[in-house]
Amino acid sequence: MNYIDTWTSPLPPGTMTDQLLPYAIGLLLAWPVVTTTLRFQRLRKLHKQYAYPTRESMSKMTDEEAFQIQKQIAQFEFPFIFIKSLQFALFRTYGVPSISTLLAKTTQFSSPETSLKRYTDTSVLVQEMVGNSPTSTRACLGLARTRYLHSGYRASGKILDDDMLFTLALFALQPIRFINRYEWRQLSELERCAIGTFWKSAGDALDISYEKLPSGRTGFRDGIQWLEEIDAWSEEYEARFMVPDDKNREVADQTTVVLVYMLPKMLHPVGMQFISFMMDDRLRKAMFYDAPSAFFAALFSAVLTARKLFLRYLSPPRPEFLRFATFTDEPDQNGRFFLIQWDGAPYYVKPTFWNRWGPVAWLTRALGRPRPGDEGDKYYPTGYSVPDVGPKYFEGKGRKQLDETMLELNGYRTGKCPFH
């Protein structure tokens, strides 16, 4: 055999595979290490950027810093669970008869259409508060509009101060509980402090009293102490007031219509099983809901565990250009904003070509649901103005009170530490 024959003769069967196999095995073994390193890189950077190494130092955390830390949690680290936790926080309030009875009387849950609109309006106001800097006009408008929508009910005693404090507690506590239970890592003390600091400040802006908390009169040391005290208080509150009532079930049933809205009808029973799975026994009892079957409880637990392990060891972190966003950052030429994503009816979604003919639109159409721009102005395709968000009979109202509240907020809401 000559030199040319030797050079051009094929490799024996299996030789190439044998040569590549060690590299493939090495890659498989190295990949979890690489993803883990990348996964925790953002957390390490966060702790370096906001240098609060001790509990004592965290007492100086500012409102703006707390917002930036929570923004990273919501848009990069745990966006799916963060959003779902806020949805379930609102849902949990319906297990208290004083809250569910008032909601039923307002007729906002009398039909799926009004409940879909109310769900979207509440989401918009919460997102305006959470998604924008605390010193921004948008965040202050969201807070001021929320105060106005509640003001008449609070003045008449239909909304109790304790119910307001309980709702605020859930918005602060549920993200921490859900993330620690279902996500790929636990929140650090810095992140928990940021969430406590942010929502304590938001409660101040919403004119919610903390007198029922042990340090409500003397002042809180930091966001963690505020969290610990409001957690203990809300647990006691639930034990006393989260009790079975027909109105709880009535409002919950209309809300579950929203939560399973984008599922095919044949999967609605599965969706209901998942909603029950995410409840605890106390909430199920208060709403007259059955516990999930053993099969579905095991299935959902396995899926959530698999998701946690996949994100922890196999999935690289979300890059900056894929940050999770739910609304437009800048207004259009008419000063209005739009939702980018929708879980229910497409309220406030701009009927762009993509939104009407993209993958989500085709799925929506296949389910027989309306797309952005359908049915004329019914779903507000021109977007929203924060001072008008809320039930239709509140549109265009409350401008004087809004201006007064904005003046008040602009006077003290400067992004500084809310504990000093």
Side-chain angles (χ1 to χ4, degrees):
M1 182 181 294
N2 60 32
Y3 175 79
I4 295 177
D5 291 336
T6 304
W7 177 259
T8 58
S9 62
L11 292 169
T15 301
M16 182 63 73
T17 303
D18 293 341
Q19 290 178 346
L20 293 179
L21 185 59
Y23 295 100
I25 294 174
L27 180 61
L28 288 175
L29 294 175
W31 184 249
V33 178
V34 172
T35 54
T36 297
T37 302
L38 294 175
R39 272 276 168 198
F40 284 90
Q41 187 174 25
R42 186 173 279 134
L43 179 62
R44 289 192 293 269
K45 182 179 178 182
L46 187 75
H47 279 260
K48 185 176 180 181
Q49 180 178 358
Y50 300 102
Y52 292 115
T54 64
R55 176 74 182 270
E56 182 181 0
S57 65
M58 289 182 191
S59 65
K60 300 176 183 177
M61 182 182 290
T62 68
D63 198 10
E64 179 64 28
E65 289 172 333
F67 160 73
Q68 294 294 343
I69 294 170
Q70 183 176 251
K71 182 179 178 181
Q72 178 167 293
I73 294 170
Q75 295 189 356
F76 294 102
E77 294 287 82
F78 318 109
F80 175 76
I81 292 297
F82 187 87
I83 290 295
K84 291 304 174 187
S85 70
L86 294 180
Q87 292 172 350
F88 274 91
L90 190 64
F91 184 73
R92 191 172 186 84
T93 65
Y94 307 153
V96 177
S98 59
I99 297 175
S100 61
T101 300
L102 175 61
L103 289 171
K105 286 182 178 179
T106 65
T107 72
Q108 289 302 297
F109 286 91
S110 59
S111 70
E113 286 196 356
T114 53
S115 61
L116 285 165
K117 175 65 162 52
R118 187 190 183 279
Y119 168 83
T120 306
D121 286 335
T122 303
S123 297
V124 165
L125 291 173
V126 172
Q127 290 171 29
E128 288 294 318
M129 299 177 210
V130 174
N132 295 288
S133 169
T135 60
S136 68
T137 299
R138 288 182 67 174
C140 290
L141 279 173
L143 292 161
R145 182 62 173 174
T146 302
R147 274 177 61 168
Y148 168 72
L149 294 175
H150 289 142
S151 60
Y153 299 111
R154 295 184 72 178
S156 65
K158 294 178 180 178
I159 293 181
L160 306 176
D161 288 345
D162 283 3
D163 293 340
M164 292 292 294
L165 183 60
F166 177 61
T167 303
L168 178 73
L170 291 180
F171 278 123
L173 295 169
Q174 287 296 83
I176 297 173
R177 293 168 179 168
F178 273 47
I179 289 169
N180 286 346
R181 189 178 306 153
Y182 302 118
E183 274 293 358
W184 57 273
R185 70 166 173 86
Q186 304 275 296
L187 288 171
S188 69
E189 194 171 54
L190 176 73
E191 291 168 319
R192 288 178 59 245
C193 184
I195 292 175
T197 301
F198 177 89
W199 284 105
K200 190 273 179 185
S201 176
D204 290 337
L206 290 169
D207 195 28
I208 295 176
S209 172
Y210 297 131
E211 288 188 358
K212 293 294 181 71
L213 304 184
S215 302
R217 292 180 179 274
T218 58
F220 303 93
R221 216 175 22 171
D222 52 35
I224 294 176
Q225 184 191 21
W226 182 85
L227 276 177
E228 291 170 345
E229 292 193 9
I230 205 168
D231 189 6
W233 177 87
S234 64
E235 173 62 27
E236 181 183 347
Y237 173 92
E238 281 192 10
R240 293 174 59 195
F241 298 110
M242 186 173 282
V243 295
D245 192 278
D246 290 337
K247 292 301 180 183
N248 297 349
R249 179 60 185 254
E250 179 183 335
V251 175
D253 283 348
Q254 289 298 337
T255 305
T256 55
V257 170
V258 178
L259 297 177
V260 301
Y261 183 81
M262 288 300 288
L263 289 176
K265 286 189 177 180
M266 62 182 294
L267 292 180
H268 280 195
V270 179
M272 292 301 299
Q273 289 275 338
F274 182 73
I275 292 170
S276 178
F277 173 78
M278 299 298 285
M279 299 182 190
D280 56 24
D281 289 338
R282 178 185 288 162
L283 184 58
R284 290 192 202 101
K285 183 178 179 180
M287 291 180 170
F288 301 110
Y289 273 45
D290 294 328
S293 69
F295 169 78
F296 279 110
L299 175 64
F300 297 141
S301 180
V303 169
L304 289 170
T305 300
R307 175 186 178 272
K308 180 191 300 186
L309 294 174
F310 173 79
L311 292 175
R312 173 70 171 78
Y313 295 106
L314 298 177
S315 175
R318 183 182 293 263
E320 297 283 335
F321 70 91
L322 287 179
R323 74 180 180 91
F324 183 83
T326 53
F327 53 71
T328 53
D329 292 326
E330 300 296 331
D332 67 359
Q333 64 273 19
N334 298 313
R336 301 178 74 82
F337 298 93
F338 297 89
L339 292 182
I340 300 172
Q341 304 181 28
W342 66 99
D343 292 328
Y347 286 101
Y348 308 129
V349 181
K350 192 172 186 177
T352 61
F353 180 84
W354 178 261
N355 286 338
R356 284 190 58 78
W357 300 102
V360 176
W362 278 105
L363 174 62
T364 303
R365 188 176 185 180
L367 294 173
R369 305 301 190 192
R371 295 174 299 167
D374 285 355
E375 302 184 50
D377 294 332
K378 179 177 179 179
Y379 298 108
Y380 297 73
T382 58
Y384 65 88
S385 172
V386 181
D388 284 325
V389 172
K392 196 168 185 64
Y393 51 79
F394 279 117
E395 291 179 13
K397 298 179 180 178
R399 290 294 191 273
K400 181 180 178 181
Q401 183 173 336
L402 191 77
D403 291 341
E404 292 173 352
T405 305
M406 288 294 290
L407 188 63
E408 173 193 334
L409 295 178
N410 290 332
Y412 75 84
R413 196 166 170 80
T414 59
K416 296 180 181 180
C417 179
F419 301 107
H420 299 284

